[in-house]
Amino acid sequence: MTKKTAFWIFLLGTLSSAVLFLALTWDTHRQVVALSHADKIDDRVVAGKRAFEKYNCNDCHTILGFGAYYAPDLTRVSRRVGDDGIRFRIRNPQAAFANSWRKMPDVHASDAEIEDMVAFFRWVGEVNNNDWPPQDSKKRLSRGEQVMVASVGVSPGAAVFQSKGCMNCHSLRGTGGTFAPPLDTIGRSLSAEQIEHYVRDPKSVNPNAKMPPQKDLTEREIDEVAKFLSSLK
Amino acid sequence: MEYKSQKIAYWYFAAALPLFVLQIFLGLYLAYSYTWTVPQSVVDVFPFSTARAMHTNLLVLWMLLGFMGGTYYIVPEETRSEIYSEKLAYFQLFALLATGVVALVGFLFGWTQGRPLLEIPRPLDFVVVVGALIFLFNVGMTMLKAGKWTVIQGTLLGGLIFLALLYLFGIPFYKNEVIDWYYWWWVIHLWVEGAWELVTGAIMAFILMKLTGVEREVVEKWLYVEIGLFLFTGIAGTGHHYYWIGAPRYWLWIGGIFSALEPLPILLMVIDTMHHVKKRQAKIVNPLTWTYAVGCAIYHMIGAGVWGFLHTLPQINYYTHGSQVTVSHGHLAFFGAYALLNLTTFYFAMPKLKGIEVYDDSRGKYGFWIMCIAMMLMGLFFGVAGVLQSYVERVMGMGYMTAQSYMRLWMGVVFFCGISFLAGLLTTVADLLTLRPAKA
């Protein structure tokens, strides 16, 4: 290999990669508007981001996975602890982490700043980021359900059925509510797909149905509970 | 030392070393806070976030001082001329140090831009930009006046301009967090896996050429191929940071493929170094400088190459992203690629700047091995903690602090590795600052 060949390797390698990278950067800008719901970034959210940076929160917490790794990731914090949970932790870290061996500083944020940050976290929580972090994924079972599956050995669908309040109305083998029909042999008449459809929107199947659409269930939970019920024959 | 103005380098090195020591003290505070409870009253005054900002900014500051000093040492020999203006070089050192001190003290009082690694407040950013421009002007003018271009100095200057240019993307306030992270990585990733690698390539090529007496033609040919591969894989490889920030899905495979190739140029560097060792024309004068150069190539390969590759594929990264696995990689990579590079440069240049031909390396050897072993163990234990975290928190879905309780033991072990590292570092710094000729 001559020095000239080496030079061309350098030039072509660098240029091809740079052109690809810049082209994708342009396209990313185009797509991020929809992926991040950029239209929902109002003054509150921007002020929340400024407050988040003012108190250097990101040098303990990660957000979207970046930052320091000292405290929990905040990408889905709205979903995990709720707006009040966020307010309480920022306002009273001494009380919130009294029994924890990891502490959070009291930054003396104003009430307005706390509300701004709540809005900021709510916006970040809706960013379409390929379903990360896994522990807050909509494609997974909840922690309680996972514990049931692991400790009592029930099927994931049965865990969802027991923990998500289905038994407040429905019964199985005589246990449960009497408000709605027992489901002991539901699998004889309905397939998993039909059950899934019904759970999502009961009124589209039966206009007189009293059951509300199950909006709080994740995709994975709906899938599992439908599989479980269709097996009851 | 062949040129008078090379002595500028000495002051850059001498300024960098104490900052490195300070960085490690703050690192120990971080590891301590991670493992044991720090009382609320202390946390309110000196939180983890402040110490972390200082730890990482000190890293950047001392490494940049090392690179700049290295540049001031190399450029006169490459161009066969004195530096354009010594005064500007000293002024710029002073400006950079002053900015650094103001920033560090500012952090203590909550003066921050609030984005990790880019915490320096915006007004100071502009001082940094002016300092960088002075530096580039000074180095560029030296090369221009000498009218003698070599691939080594071209790469060095190219890397430094690239470095300064990218810094600009970290200055604006972005309203959208996704776009913010997108450009944040233009600074961070394209620095460490682009611009800094060019600087490394150039400095290593220069030192290897001087140490081994291998022909310039051969060295420069390799340098072209290395930096070509570094940029080919490194630029689009930025995509491995875009998996989970809300960027389009294609970054998963673009980032996956290009970043999986990133170890290649580093491997090439190791082969290149070994090749030079074999083909060397000159006899080894200072064995410790040698050990450092070879150690740097190998550690660079392990820390940046292997450790980076382990969690760069999206299927794995989904579970390890933002965990202590990243911390493990970060420590090994920065130490292997850049801390050892700077120390190689220091051990190469400082004896010459002091007019010592063969130096006594009895203490230096201890420093090297203690630091290398302590950091390797630290990387391993951070890694154990990270794998536990990925499993307990990400796979099992348990709470953050539950996962932390499993990791606590390993973070404690890291703290003690850190103390050993500090011992090795203090030995090294003391040795470098008081180099003496070997007994004949």
Side-chain angles (χ1 to χ4, degrees), chain A residues 12-29:
Chain A
L12 287 176
T14 307
L15 283 181
S16 58
S17 193
V19 167
L20 174 73
F21 186 64
L22 292 174
L24 294 182
T25 297
W26 176 78
D27 184 67
T28 299
H29 264 286

Side-chain angles (χ1 to χ4, degrees), chain B residues 80 142 324 363 368 400 402:
Chain B
R80 307 222 177 113
T142 311
Q324 292 292 327
R363 293 174 304 182
F368 174 83
Y400 183 83
T402 314

Side-chain angles (χ1 to χ4, degrees), chain B residues 71-296:
Chain B
T71 307
Y72 280 127
Y73 183 86
I74 291 171
V75 166
E77 284 191 23
E78 284 289 292
T79 58
R80 307 222 177 113
S81 69
E82 297 287 353
I83 291 291
Y84 175 72
S85 163
E86 281 191 41
K87 272 192 194 136
L88 274 181
Y90 284 120
F91 171 75
Q92 182 231 327
L93 171 64
F94 176 74
L96 199 60
L97 274 178
T99 317
V101 172
V102 172
L104 291 170
V105 175
F107 293 159
L108 288 174
F109 296 96
W111 196 34
T112 172
Q113 206 184 108
R115 293 177 311 153
L117 286 164
L118 300 181
E119 295 95 344
I120 297 189
R122 289 186 176 86
L124 292 183
D125 273 340
F126 295 105
V127 184
V128 174
V129 170
V130 172
L133 288 176
I134 294 175
F135 174 69
L136 291 173
F137 172 77
N138 206 2
V139 173
M141 281 306 281
T142 311
M143 292 179 184
L144 210 63
K145 266 184 77 181
K148 191 176 162 298
W149 294 94
T150 66
V151 180
I152 290 180
Q153 53 161 299
T155 308
L156 194 56
L157 187 66
L160 293 166
I161 292 176
F162 193 28
L163 192 160
L165 209 61
L166 290 167
Y167 187 70
L168 301 177
F169 288 93
I171 298 178
F173 174 82
Y174 301 94
K175 288 183 178 176
N176 190 327
E177 185 72 37
V178 177
I179 297 294
D180 193 333
W181 284 128
Y182 193 88
Y183 287 107
W184 189 84
W185 286 111
W186 280 41
V187 190
I188 309 305
H189 174 97
L190 289 175
W191 261 18
V192 296
E193 273 144 284
W196 287 23
E197 290 283 9
L198 295 196
V199 176
T200 306
I203 294 180
M204 263 322 227
F206 176 83
I207 291 180
L208 284 176
M209 187 174 75
K210 294 282 169 176
L211 283 179
T212 59
V214 170
E215 267 176 75
R216 178 178 286 274
E217 279 294 298
V218 180
V219 172
E220 297 198 328
K221 196 170 71 186
W222 275 97
L223 184 57
Y224 264 140
V225 180
E226 277 166 24
I227 60 171
L229 268 178
F230 268 126
L231 291 172
F232 177 69
T233 59
I235 295 176
T238 314
H240 68 184
H241 301 291
Y242 296 160
Y243 298 160
W244 328 114
I245 66 167
R249 222 179 147 71
Y250 51 67
W251 284 114
L252 260 63
W253 60 269
I254 298 267
I257 291 172
F258 281 85
S259 63
L261 294 173
E262 276 183 60
L264 276 185
I266 311 177
L267 181 66
L268 200 64
M269 230 173 175
V270 178
I271 298 172
D272 180 27
T273 310
M274 297 309 171
H275 174 85
H276 282 47
V277 175
K278 229 193 240 163
K279 291 269 157 73
R280 68 169 174 262
Q281 319 275 317
K283 82 176 210 318
I284 295 175
V285 186
N286 285 308
L288 182 61
T289 310
W290 256 115
T291 311
Y292 260 103
V294 175
C296 174

Side-chain angles (χ1 to χ4, degrees), chain A residues 1 3 17 25 27-29 36 49 59 64 69 101-102 104 106 130-132 135 140 143 146, chain B residues 34 40 44 52 119 174 180 182-183 220-221 232 243 249-250 318 393 395-397 400 404:
Chain A
M1 184 174 57
K3 199 163 149 186
S17 193
T25 297
D27 184 67
T28 299
H29 264 286
S36 69
K49 184 170 183 285
D59 252 317
L64 294 162
Y69 314 88
W101 46 273
R102 187 129 333 146
M104 172 162 147
D106 186 351
N130 294 325
D131 202 38
W132 193 90
Q135 67 269 30
R140 298 162 57 99
R143 246 176 86 195
Q146 288 185 34
Chain B
Y34 221 104
Q40 184 77 37
D44 283 342
R52 207 261 186 173
E119 295 95 344
Y174 301 94
D180 193 333
Y182 193 88
Y183 287 107
E220 297 198 328
K221 196 170 71 186
F232 177 69
Y243 298 160
R249 222 179 147 71
Y250 51 67
Y318 184 65
E393 190 183 348
V395 180
M396 304 278 286
Y400 183 83
Q404 297 291 314

